Amino acid sequence: MAEDREPPPLADAVQTDFREVEEGEDLFVSTVSTLSPTSPEPASFPAEDISTNSNGPKQEILLDDDQEDLFAEATEEVSLDSPEREPILSDGPSPAITPVTPTVIITPRVDALFDRSLDEVKQISINVLYLFSIIQAFYFCLQGDGMNAYMAYKVTTKTSLSLFSRNEFSVKRRFSDFLGLHSKLASKYMHIGYIVPPAPEKSIVGMTKVKVGKEDLSSAEFVEKRRSALERYLMRTVNHPALVKDPDVIQFLENTELPRAVSTQALSGAGILRMVNKAADAVNKMTIKMNESDAWFEEKQQQFENLDIQLRKLHASVESLVCHRKELSVNTASFAKSAAMLGNSEDHTALSRALSQLAEVEEKIDQLHHEQAYADFYLFSELLGDYVRLITAVKGVFDQRMKTWSKWQDAQVMLQRKREAEAKLQYANKPDKLQQAKDEIKEWEAKVQQGERDFEQISKNIRREVERFEKQRVKDFKVVIIKYLESLVHTQQQLIKYWEAFLPEAKAIA
Amino acid sequence: MQTGLEKVLEWFPRAVNVDLQTDATLQVDISDALSERDKVKFTVHTKSTLPNFKQNEFSVVRQHEEFIWLHDSFVENEEYAGFIIPPAPPRPDFDASREKLQKLGEGEGSMTKEEFTKMKQELEAEYLAIFKKTVAMHEVFLCRVAAHPVLRKDLNFHVFLEYNQDLSVRGKNKKEKLEDFFKNVVKSADGVIVAGVKDVDDFFEHEKTFLLEYHNRVKDASAKSDRMIRSHKSAADDINRIASTLYTLGTQDSTDMCKFFLKVSELFEKTRKIEARVAADEDLKLADLLKYYLRESQAAKDLLYRRGRALVDYENANKALDKARAKNKDVLQAETTQQVCCQKFEKISESAKQELIDFKTRRVAAFRKNLVELAELELKHAKKIRQNLYIGNLQLLQSCLAVLKGDT
């Protein structure tokens, strides 16, 4: 086995940064500034860029004529010396304070840098107006007893949008409230082609454990997982320019009391109706053969199909990684104990000490693996899970378009039939029936026109939605993957620290 | 599975044979090895200036069973009762690796061409690593024998080294294996009794308690380190799959994510390769070290057992002699028995003390070497991964910024 050769000498710029890093500095801030003279200093984005391109970004965010731009009012308020935007928006779900904090060290700086650049270059107007919700889960809010107990989630919203009566407010919500919100939004918007973000899935097992009062690690993890998922769901919903204006959403965020969403229960009447509808839809999907005139749709559908397959595969692999990483952590801890025991029984003093040191190093490493597993999960795995569900929603929207087309086609067929009936009646000479037939024709002509309009509308909406979705997807993935890679870097940093501390101990064995 | 001639000329640095003064009078090594369907053929190469041998340099081909025969002949030899017999090398075990390769072949249809070739390369590398390890283990055994002042002169050893035909040593058949099993049971029961006898000599008493505890703890540590390394390998495999899927995503994606995904896939691939090396190095420097000292400490315990047995025999002979003298019957016989036992005990005790001291020296040196190398390798790999991640991350970030600037 050939020993690896030394890596080729790095460019000087990068080399210096490594040395800096060894003293505990954050690499990215220093490197970005030294690396390329063309890239702007993150802290001070040239304000001139924005003013000259003010038409550009404004057009980007101005949505279609049908939808008034929510943030249009904001563009006038932009001043060239915009206040330093609070980095809260970019941090997304991470700063939530919960009783169970995932021990992930995510450096917010890269994301802030990224988002600052992204936003400052394109959407400076949004800086001034923002909406941001965090969710905290409280154990002691478990109200009721036994199986009637439920977990209450505190939703805190900070916003400067004029839609809301205050700038900052909190409400208590149950899991079923979130599901209820989603179901309302889906029924309102999916059939016109909006991609409504899917809510997190129910889990009877998980909740039962919590209800039973098991104060152990797995139920704590479950609550944290759910809290985090709900937060992401809410953020995605409010980031949708149309959905955030919806009265149901506003009510959800603001109102202290909310009518209980009973229809979200699986075995309720509404639940069963939903299942029946789903089955009917599935059958319809198979029977509708659409004449696709628009190549864009065909192409997009195929792309989403492929994306779905790959993301599912990736998700499965990442979940497997999380599992093995947790296993590695446990096994390393167990080995550490064993090594400590071995060190104790070793009668050569220096070797004994070295073995004890090894045990300590391995113990620290096991903690490291544990944290890395958390990062694997919360950053990577959950993102993939979310997107697998989102793509299902996207596919649903395409299916809605098919349904709309089918309705339009059916109306045309009906119209044809009515016309034929009228023609027949013309010869049969029945004046009253003839009038009825003529009325029906008018009715169906209107329906055909409506059908066509609906179809065109949904097609337009879908195009816009898909474009927004893709942009969001790109951003989400880039941000998360970069954060994830950072967590990997951090792990390696720590490993280096630990082994460097151990090496002299090992060498000291005489 | 036929793997053909595998000339393994580059060796893993020998894990455990430190301080073996190989002098010019006798040098032994395994210069070549061939892996066939279910056996491995080792080419044992000897260089010697001793007059016992016909030539100064020669080679023979030996199989695993012949190594075991040699080891067992040492164990059974009463003359060597006072030595720590170098532990026998473990049987070459390619079953797990072969199974994996077979499973891979069966699952060929379900994965892409690249994935298949990648996994095949992985498994072949694993196979090669196991192969190298087994060769190293066999070599260490021979070197230990050659380094031992008395064992190196053993006649069986010379025959093993020189006789260039098959030694006709067959593996033990079922009956013999059963006999061995019972012998072991009896021996361990006896061992407990013998160990219970308190030794007058402080040195040996201490060694007895020390070795018992040490052996158990090494066993535990060895098992735990194996589990830890297996988890590590599984995690590396997952990263492999993630890298492949990211690659596919990169080739398919319609947005500007494709370059991003490809780059990330590359990063993961690089990381995985190094993580696999980390697991392999941990296996070599830590797991193998512990396994070896598990066997050596057992050999040391065996030595103490033999000495204990001899002590008990000696004490029994003393008692018998006293009784005989009291009854004045068979006194001469009792006297000779007692003298034989006394000599045997003293001979073992004398060499045992030195052997145990040498054992400690070797152990400390081996642990030192391996722990230092382990730490150095871990550092090297972690630095490499970190470097790759830094550069990769940087490039990704730069491309993101470039896109943004371009987008306005």
Side-chain angles (χ1 to χ4, degrees):
Chain A
M1 169 198 80
E3 287 298 278
D4 282 355
R5 289 176 310 161
E6 278 305 333
L10 305 161
D12 277 337
V14 187
Q15 189 85 55
T16 47
D17 291 329
F18 284 172
R19 264 181 256 127
E20 278 172 30
V21 168
E22 252 126 41
E23 286 149 33
E25 233 190 25
D26 180 14
L27 173 76
F28 285 101
V29 177
S30 43
T31 317
V32 171
S33 44
T34 52
L35 208 68
S36 49
T38 53
S39 72
E41 281 285 45
S44 53
F45 247 87
E48 300 81 66
D49 269 7
I50 292 115
S51 58
T52 49
N53 295 335
S54 59
N55 287 329
K58 207 154 119 186
Q59 250 149 23
E60 299 271 9
I61 49 168
L62 259 183
L63 302 166
D64 218 326
D65 359 282
D66 304 353
Q67 278 191 311
E68 74 179 49
D69 181 13
L70 175 67
F71 299 110
E73 50 201 85
T75 46
E76 282 104 49
E77 287 164 49
V78 174
S79 58
L80 288 182
D81 39 41
S82 269
E84 209 44 72
R85 183 171 64 85
E86 287 147 32
I88 305 172
L89 190 61
S90 57
D91 280 335
S94 36
I97 316 121
T98 62
V100 180
T101 325
T103 49
V104 173
I105 301 152
I106 301 174
T107 33
R109 279 153 119 181
V110 176
D111 186 40
L113 162 69
F114 185 88
D115 268 292
R116 211 174 270 152
S117 350
L118 174 67
D119 292 286
E120 277 169 300
V121 171
K122 288 177 76 167
Q123 297 170 25
I124 189 80
S125 46
I126 299 188
N127 290 351
V128 181
L129 295 182
Y130 60 90
L131 187 141
F132 160 69
S133 295
I134 59 168
I135 297 184
Q136 297 161 284
F138 289 94
Y139 284 117
F140 57 79
C141 267
L142 212 50
Q143 291 161 9
D145 51 33
M147 292 312 283
N148 287 329
Y150 64 90
M151 196 73 185
Y153 297 95
K154 181 173 170 200
V155 180
T156 310
T157 311
K158 291 194 178 101
T159 180
S160 61
L161 291 172
S162 52
L163 290 166
F164 298 90
S165 47
R166 290 166 289 165
N167 277 3
E168 193 171 331
F169 42 88
S170 296
V171 291
K172 255 196 334 215
R173 292 284 175 257
R174 291 180 60 160
F175 184 68
S176 54
D177 294 335
F178 288 85
L179 295 181
L181 176 67
H182 168 74
S183 129
K184 284 195 205 130
L185 292 176
S187 61
K188 279 199 245 178
Y189 293 101
M190 278 206 52
H191 69 274
I192 52 173
Y194 285 29
I195 301 172
V196 176
E201 281 159 3
K202 287 187 194 231
S203 165
I204 302 174
V205 175
M207 244 349 248
T208 315
K209 270 209 248 168
V210 176
K211 284 182 188 181
V212 165
K214 277 184 85 179
E215 284 282 328
D216 68 352
L217 204 60
S218 65
S219 45
E221 273 181 29
F222 171 78
V223 172
E224 174 51 33
K225 184 174 163 184
R226 179 166 274 198
R227 183 209 65 79
S228 172
L230 287 172
E231 205 174 70
R232 290 194 308 272
Y233 161 67
L234 208 55
M235 283 306 287
R236 287 216 173 86
T237 306
V238 301
N239 275 334
H240 192 296
L243 295 180
V244 74
K245 289 190 287 185
D246 185 284
D248 280 321
V249 171
I250 297 175
Q251 203 183 46
F252 182 88
L253 290 174
E254 265 192 331
N255 289 19
T256 348
E257 286 301 317
L258 207 64
R260 265 231 30 212
V262 192
S263 63
T264 56
Q265 283 162 352
L267 293 177
S268 66
I272 296 188
L273 189 65
R274 255 203 307 278
M275 281 194 280
V276 169
N277 279 338
K278 256 200 202 158
D281 277 346
V283 171
N284 277 340
K285 196 168 155 190
M286 287 190 277
T287 52
I288 298 177
K289 198 146 187 334
M290 179 161 169
N291 251 345
E292 189 56 77
S293 51
D294 196 337
W296 185 91
F297 281 93
E298 214 173 303
E299 203 185 299
K300 279 294 164 194
Q301 265 187 297
Q302 188 56 48
Q303 277 173 3
F304 279 114
E305 204 57 52
N306 292 344
L307 191 60
D308 189 31
I309 296 173
Q310 294 306 320
L311 284 183
R312 277 177 202 269
K313 221 164 121 186
L314 192 58
H315 189 212
S317 299
V318 175
E319 282 191 321
S320 173
L321 177 64
V322 171
C323 185
H324 285 136
R325 195 93 79 174
K326 282 195 183 147
E327 211 181 82
L328 178 59
S329 164
V330 166
N331 287 343
T332 308
S334 145
F335 172 71
K337 285 202 193 83
S338 188
M341 297 274 278
L342 186 63
N344 278 345
S345 60
E346 174 63 63
D347 60 355
H348 185 270
T349 4
L351 180 55
S352 171
R353 192 172 51 235
L355 284 171
S356 305
Q357 290 292 88
L358 179 69
E360 266 179 49
V361 167
E362 293 289 349
E363 207 179 304
K364 289 195 199 130
I365 290 179
D366 108 66
Q367 193 52 34
L368 208 59
H369 284 309
H370 188 69
E371 286 170 19
Q372 181 63 62
Y374 259 120
D376 289 348
F377 180 71
Y378 280 104
L379 284 179
F380 210 1
S381 176
E382 288 283 82
L383 172 81
L384 291 170
D386 284 350
Y387 267 90
V388 164
R389 280 198 302 279
L390 271 167
I391 293 203
T392 312
V394 172
K395 291 210 278 192
V397 146
F398 277 97
D399 290 342
Q400 288 292 335
R401 179 172 171 269
M402 267 209 322
K403 263 169 83 174
T404 312
W405 180 84
S406 169
K407 214 165 131 196
W408 175 29
Q409 295 304 312
D410 288 346
Q412 283 185 318
V413 164
M414 228 12 196
L415 178 63
Q416 188 60 26
R417 267 201 224 135
K418 295 294 176 192
R419 285 204 173 124
E420 285 169 3
E422 194 232 9
K424 269 201 219 139
L425 284 173
Q426 287 266 354
Y427 287 119
N429 201 9
K430 288 190 185 144
D432 48 345
K433 287 224 174 113
L434 192 61
Q435 187 52 42
Q436 190 188 9
K438 282 203 197 302
D439 288 336
E440 281 180 357
I441 287 179
K442 278 228 160 48
E443 190 192 322
W444 282 99
E445 274 176 350
K447 283 198 182 151
V448 167
Q449 275 180 350
Q450 184 61 42
E452 187 173 359
R453 270 203 301 274
D454 286 344
F455 181 70
E456 275 171 15
Q457 186 61 47
I458 196 178
S459 300
K460 205 159 62 161
N461 285 347
I462 290 182
R463 275 183 192 262
R464 193 183 56 230
E465 283 287 288
V466 164
E467 203 178 304
R468 193 184 59 85
F469 176 80
E470 292 283 71
K471 281 212 187 96
Q472 190 62 40
R473 173 168 79 93
V474 167
K475 181 182 169 191
D476 275 352
F477 270 83
K478 285 187 177 175
V479 165
V480 167
I481 288 184
I482 289 183
K483 268 192 194 163
Y484 179 65
L485 290 175
E486 277 181 35
S487 78
L488 292 178
V489 166
H490 170 80
T491 303
Q492 296 303 319
Q493 288 270 66
Q494 294 295 96
L495 275 176
I496 290 173
K497 214 169 69 179
Y498 300 150
W499 286 110
E500 272 178 348
F502 174 72
L503 191 55
E505 283 289 338
K507 288 193 169 149
I509 305 172
Chain B
M1 186 191 65
Q2 190 85 21
T3 53
L5 187 70
E6 303 217 29
K7 279 194 183 293
V8 190
L9 297 175
E10 270 176 39
W11 298 116
F12 272 13
R14 291 176 199 158
V16 291
N17 65 336
V18 196
D19 278 2
L20 295 181
Q21 277 103 15
T22 44
D23 52 325
T25 49
L26 180 63
Q27 273 179 5
V28 183
D29 65 272
I30 297 183
S31 59
D32 198 359
L34 173 65
S35 167
E36 278 181 3
R37 183 162 293 275
D38 56 357
K39 53 192 171 197
V40 183
K41 296 202 168 132
F42 304 96
T43 305
V44 179
H45 167 249
T46 316
K47 258 208 263 210
S48 175
T49 53
L50 291 175
N52 319 52
F53 299 110
K54 297 196 196 79
Q55 300 165 292
N56 278 359
E57 190 167 348
F58 48 88
S59 291
V60 291
V61 177
R62 290 284 172 248
Q63 289 185 35
H64 175 73
E65 286 77 21
E66 291 163 315
F67 285 77
I68 300 300
W69 165 82
L70 183 61
H71 171 261
D72 289 349
S73 76
F74 290 153
V75 171
E76 286 156 16
N77 191 330
E78 286 272 332
E79 292 293 302
Y80 303 146
F83 304 140
I84 297 181
I85 311 290
R91 201 179 70 84
D93 183 15
F94 297 102
D95 288 343
S97 192
R98 236 177 253 143
E99 222 181 279
K100 277 200 221 167
L101 267 162
Q102 202 171 6
K103 252 198 249 173
L104 181 68
E106 285 167 11
E108 184 173 354
S110 70
M111 54 181 93
T112 65
K113 192 97 195 318
E114 292 101 24
E115 265 179 48
F116 180 72
T117 6
K118 248 212 286 190
M119 292 211 73
K120 187 150 170 282
Q121 277 174 353
E122 275 294 302
L123 287 177
E124 281 177 351
E126 205 182 289
Y127 189 91
L128 192 61
I130 300 178
F131 184 74
K132 282 187 188 173
K133 253 206 261 188
T134 189
V135 169
M137 295 282 143
H138 285 75
E139 192 181 68
V140 161
F141 170 69
L142 293 179
C143 291
R144 285 264 279 123
V145 174
H148 194 283
V150 177
L151 291 176
R152 74 200 324 222
K153 299 188 198 136
D154 182 84
L155 195 61
N156 282 335
F157 184 49
H158 291 182
V159 167
F160 178 93
L161 289 177
E162 206 180 11
Y163 186 61
N164 58 10
Q165 301 202 14
D166 194 4
L167 289 174
S168 302
V169 166
R170 54 167 178 75
K172 299 196 169 154
N173 62 21
K174 263 204 201 126
K175 177 158 165 277
E176 283 167 340
K177 283 196 186 150
L178 202 59
E179 281 175 1
D180 271 351
F181 173 71
F182 279 121
K183 262 198 241 166
N184 275 334
V185 170
V186 169
K187 183 174 148 212
S188 27
D190 193 32
V192 172
I193 299 171
V194 164
V197 175
K198 183 122 179 32
D199 205 315
V200 180
D201 190 330
D202 275 342
F203 175 80
F204 284 105
E205 187 59 31
H206 165 81
E207 285 296 308
K208 197 163 58 174
T209 26
F210 163 72
L211 271 175
L212 189 61
E213 193 184 59
Y214 188 79
H215 177 80
N216 287 337
R217 293 194 176 171
V218 167
K219 200 194 287 200
D220 189 51
S222 174
K224 302 262 165 71
S225 77
D226 277 345
R227 266 214 292 271
M228 176 176 81
I229 291 168
R230 256 205 306 275
S231 297
H232 211 141
K233 286 200 182 127
S234 307
D237 284 340
D238 286 326
I239 298 180
N240 195 10
R241 271 192 289 272
I242 293 174
S244 306
T245 317
L246 281 171
Y247 182 80
T248 317
L249 272 170
T251 52
Q252 277 180 356
D253 205 291
S254 52
T255 62
D256 69 340
M257 283 296 283
C258 46
K259 285 207 214 98
F260 191 88
F261 277 138
L262 286 174
K263 185 84 206 143
V264 176
S265 162
E266 197 187 309
L267 261 181
F268 269 90
E269 180 57 36
K270 280 197 198 146
T271 306
R272 182 208 54 98
K273 282 213 177 85
I274 303 179
E275 289 278 4
R277 286 287 304 280
V278 170
D281 285 338
E282 281 177 354
D283 196 23
L284 202 60
K285 301 292 168 192
L286 196 56
D288 280 355
L289 175 73
L290 291 170
K291 278 198 202 84
Y292 186 80
Y293 276 94
L294 180 62
R295 292 199 297 274
E296 273 255 7
S297 57
Q298 182 60 50
K301 273 171 72 180
D302 289 344
L303 169 63
L304 281 181
Y305 163 71
R306 290 194 291 272
R307 180 179 170 277
R309 179 82 252 160
L311 176 62
V312 167
D313 289 344
Y314 179 36
E315 285 179 354
N316 287 345
N318 273 339
K319 286 192 200 129
L321 181 60
D322 289 340
K323 239 200 264 179
R325 284 201 180 128
K327 287 194 201 158
N328 208 1
K329 191 179 163 189
D330 294 327
V331 173
L332 195 60
Q333 190 185 23
E335 272 181 354
T336 28
T337 317
Q338 192 256 24
Q339 264 191 328
V340 163
C341 285
C342 177
Q343 273 172 357
K344 183 170 169 197
F345 173 68
E346 280 174 0
K347 182 168 170 217
I348 293 181
S349 284
E350 205 181 296
S351 56
K353 190 158 189 173
Q354 190 54 47
E355 289 278 308
L356 288 167
I357 292 173
D358 287 345
F359 171 61
K360 182 163 169 177
T361 320
R362 273 200 314 272
R363 184 176 80 241
V364 172
F367 268 79
R368 181 185 191 282
K369 175 170 182 278
N370 280 280
L371 288 178
V372 167
E373 285 177 0
L374 175 71
E376 285 174 347
L377 283 167
E378 294 265 5
L379 268 174
K380 178 175 125 184
H381 292 318
K383 284 186 176 153
K384 192 84 212 290
I385 296 179
R386 183 184 68 172
Q387 177 182 317
N388 286 339
L389 285 173
Y390 272 156
I391 298 179
N393 226 2
L394 222 51
Q395 289 172 335
L396 287 173
L397 204 56
Q398 276 187 299
S399 74
C400 288
L401 282 173
V403 163
L404 294 172
K405 289 284 291 175
D407 245 341
T408 28

